Amino acid sequence: MSLRNNGRLSRREILKALSMCAAGSAMGPLLMGCRDGLNTPAALEQLGGVRQARLDGKPRFLIVVGAVGGASIVDSMLAVRASETTAAGGNAAKLNTFADAQVQNVDGSPFRAVKVEAGVLGSIPMALKTDQLPFVKKYKDSMLVATSVGTSVNHVIAQKRSLTGSNAWRGRTLQECVALQYGAGFPLPNVNMGNQGFSERGSDNSLPAYCYGEVVAKPSFWPLGLDGMKGIKDLPSRDVVNLTRIVRNSLDAQSVFGKTFDDAAALELWNEQRTSGQSALEMQELISRLNMMPDNPETPLSEYGLSSSPDAERLRAVFPNYLTDPVEGQAALAFLLIKHRVSVTVTLGPTFNIAMGSSNQFTNPPLAFDFSHNEHRSVQAFMWSRLMETIDKLIGLLKSEPFDSSGESLWDRSLIYMATEFGRTRTRQEGATRFGTGHDLNNGFMILSPRVRGNTVLGGVDPKTTLTYGFDPRTGAPQPGKMEANEADIFSGILTAMGVDTSGSGLPDASAFLRT
């Protein structure tokens, strides 16, 4: 059995494999092995990496949190006090500065934490009380903030560029690079639950098909689609269904449509997914292992021969709004995908739509971070708090699970990148405590991982203008006055921390991101 250059089986080979399956063969591992077999060192070199790290058999996990709408770094770890702007010669009353008491220092750290209380969330009459200090204190040693200048203030374009480094490496996304490095033996290496530009695939079409994201819209229900037979009452035996699948595939191949589009890439991918891909998923019982729903009268799983994940009860306790808050459902599924070695990279994040909790309180305002157009301060505080809470819970779960017998946890091999499109404009009406903001290229990113240089700010903020400035990606030295776009530096830094082989990519040396 051989594979085409794109890692896919030909139709004849698929039918041959199905015949073997009908005869009782374990087809899934065989096909996985064939796919891996294509990835010779020479083939990997052509793709731009030798995957040295993958050869040790130990994957690393990238979790992208798409902070949709523009998460402003100067409303969190790089907040500026009004007194600092005044001392630097700026007009604190006309810039997005905080009252001194709202910006808290973090002992032994360059980070800051903002505390905000408000009677409204934008124009929504909803009180909020947020404090970033517990989160920053807890994770400062695994936290790196890199300042940035982007190249677009269009939401979708900027979202995608935050994942490709503005096409820094042949247009690949970070997730695709990580899937290429570590994901060849995983059923679904790259699962994407993000939105808009955060869910788009990159523009490098030379990668194996498994590197591109599997888009998931409903995390709580999606696992129910991972087995074509289970959950259906009075179904014939699996052997009989497999035989019908063989007949179906044979008829499809002989149809006018099948013959006309025999070499179409989309049809080849479809055939692969419903043969080798489907078989591999069904063999792993993912329909149950990833299922968070309880077995009760409302969702009678056992009546249909289904069951919950052994972790379901724990996850429902951690994320009680998993059915109504998409971010909670996504975070729970992200944990299961990594724990069960289904994926090496998972993307999640809020949408522009509102979400309500069980107490009829907003868990997500309209437009998410972009509701800052309506009122900046309260919206930024609410959304930062929302994502910090979710990330905290997810890290707690990853820390609780051993990676293997080496003593490492899943968290020890993970990296969370809070991606966002852009920052927000800095000006306000003089003395205004409630004000709206627009889009601004100037901003920064939060990265969390035991593998990054923790307790570190790469770059800085000019207190006179509240604008961030750049840094040397190799040494980490701040460069006041540097305002050039540096998306490639951020992209390279994340891949460096993830252990991705970037040889031949032309990416800048971003050693400053790496824990030493």
Side-chain angles (χ1 to χ4, degrees):
M1 187 176 295
S2 61
L3 297 174
R4 296 182 177 179
N5 291 335
N6 59 8
R8 299 168 185 153
L9 295 163
S10 68
R11 174 173 288 108
R12 175 173 297 178
E13 289 161 336
I14 289 172
L15 293 173
K16 181 180 178 182
L18 282 167
S19 299
M20 295 167 65
C21 182
S25 313
M27 186 179 68
L30 174 63
L31 294 174
M32 286 283 189
C34 289
R35 194 171 67 182
D36 275 355
L38 182 72
N39 298 321
T40 62
L44 295 174
E45 284 285 1
Q46 290 180 353
L47 291 170
V50 296
R51 285 199 245 181
Q52 187 63 40
R54 184 186 150 237
L55 298 179
D56 70 5
K58 289 191 173 184
R60 297 178 184 179
F61 307 102
L62 171 66
I63 301 167
V64 175
V65 178
V68 64
S72 167
I73 203 69
V74 295
D75 284 81
S76 53
M77 282 70 73
L78 301 186
V80 179
R81 298 183 179 91
S83 64
E84 294 170 322
T85 295
T86 301
N91 188 339
K94 286 189 173 182
L95 294 174
N96 177 19
T97 61
F98 287 85
D100 288 8
Q102 288 183 287
V103 180
Q104 305 166 92
N105 286 330
V106 181
D107 292 342
S109 173
F111 301 130
R112 295 172 171 191
V114 174
K115 190 174 185 178
V116 172
E117 293 186 31
V120 294
L121 173 59
S123 56
I124 301 170
M126 173 179 145
L128 61 109
K129 186 176 181 179
T130 66
D131 187 353
Q132 300 169 355
L133 186 60
F135 180 89
V136 179
K137 287 176 67 176
K138 187 174 183 179
Y139 294 111
K140 65 181 176 65
D141 291 332
S142 301
M143 183 187 296
L144 182 149
V145 171
T147 57
S148 66
V149 175
T151 52
S152 175
V153 290
N154 174 281
H155 284 286
V156 177
I157 294 173
Q159 287 163 0
K160 187 170 182 179
R161 288 181 182 176
S162 73
L163 302 180
T164 66
S166 193
N167 295 322
W169 188 6
R170 306 182 193 174
R172 300 172 183 177
T173 66
L174 289 165
Q175 299 97 314
E176 289 162 359
C177 295
V178 171
L180 176 65
Q181 181 83 34
Y182 300 111
F186 285 65
L188 295 169
N190 179 0
V191 168
N192 196 314
M193 298 175 276
N195 303 281
Q196 297 187 318
F198 292 129
S199 64
E200 289 189 11
R201 60 174 277 175
S203 55
D204 184 352
N205 295 322
S206 70
L207 299 175
Y210 66 84
C211 293
Y212 303 115
E214 181 73 22
V215 176
V216 173
K218 280 282 190 183
S220 302
F221 294 97
W222 176 70
L224 297 176
L226 296 179
D227 193 301
M229 304 182 208
K230 293 195 71 173
I232 300 174
K233 287 184 175 179
D234 303 323
L235 191 72
S237 71
R238 191 169 286 270
D239 286 343
V240 171
V241 175
N242 281 332
L243 287 173
T244 63
R245 286 175 170 176
I246 292 172
V247 173
R248 175 200 63 189
N249 294 338
S250 176
L251 292 175
D252 279 356
Q254 297 174 47
S255 69
V256 174
F257 182 88
K259 291 179 180 177
T260 303
F261 299 101
D262 178 52
D263 293 326
L267 188 56
E268 289 180 3
L269 178 60
W270 167 248
N271 285 329
E272 180 196 357
Q273 287 178 332
R274 74 176 187 177
T275 52
S276 59
Q278 183 176 33
S279 175
L281 294 175
E282 291 175 347
M283 289 176 64
Q284 297 202 32
E285 284 287 323
L286 298 180
I287 190 172
S288 297
R289 297 167 80 191
L290 303 182
N291 186 2
M292 291 172 280
M293 289 188 289
D295 185 12
N296 59 28
E298 292 184 351
T299 52
L301 301 178
S302 55
E303 183 179 336
Y304 293 89
L306 300 175
S307 59
S308 300
S309 163
D311 296 294
E313 186 173 355
R314 176 169 60 134
L315 290 175
R316 291 195 299 269
V318 174
F319 298 112
N321 298 314
Y322 73 102
L323 282 176
T324 56
D325 182 352
V327 177
E328 289 202 6
Q330 292 167 357
L333 182 59
F335 167 71
L336 290 174
L337 289 167
I338 291 173
K339 175 180 177 177
H340 292 299
R341 304 295 194 273
V342 178
S343 308
V344 292
T345 178
V346 186
T347 302
L348 57 115
T351 70
F352 281 136
N353 299 323
I354 63 170
M356 306 289 288
S358 55
S359 58
N360 288 328
Q361 291 287 300
F362 279 85
T363 54
N364 199 68
L367 302 179
F369 278 99
D370 207 34
F371 201 39
S372 300
H373 283 299
N374 183 283
E375 205 286 300
H376 178 91
R377 185 61 51 78
S378 63
V379 171
Q380 287 287 323
F382 180 87
M383 288 302 300
W384 271 101
S385 177
R386 165 169 164 71
L387 293 188
M388 283 179 172
E389 182 180 358
T390 302
I391 290 170
D392 179 38
K393 291 178 177 178
L394 181 54
I395 292 176
L397 289 168
L398 295 170
K399 282 185 173 180
S400 71
E401 290 291 333
F403 171 74
D404 56 16
S405 60
S406 67
E408 287 186 303
S409 70
L410 289 177
W411 173 240
D412 290 324
R413 303 191 67 81
S414 299
L415 184 148
I416 294 178
Y417 167 45
M418 186 166 146
T420 193
E421 301 100 313
F422 36 66
R424 311 296 305 191
T425 52
R426 303 293 199 273
T427 56
R428 57 173 166 164
Q429 285 189 326
E430 187 163 6
T433 56
R434 298 186 62 199
F435 56 94
T437 55
H439 305 174
D440 196 290
L441 296 175
N442 187 276
N443 200 29
F445 295 99
M446 179 178 75
I447 300 168
L448 293 158
S449 174
R451 299 189 168 274
V452 298
R453 184 175 295 180
N455 207 26
T456 297
V457 175
L458 297 178
V461 179
D462 180 349
K464 184 177 180 179
T465 62
T466 72
L467 295 172
T468 59
Y469 53 79
F471 58 92
D472 184 316
R474 185 180 66 81
T475 66
Q479 296 181 325
K482 180 182 178 181
M483 303 290 283
E484 294 87 11
N486 66 341
E487 292 153 308
D489 295 345
I490 309 291
F491 181 87
S492 180
I494 293 170
L495 293 183
T496 300
M498 286 296 298
V500 172
D501 184 352
T502 59
S503 57
S505 66
L507 291 174
D509 180 348
S511 303
F513 287 72
L514 193 60
R515 182 179 290 273
T516 55

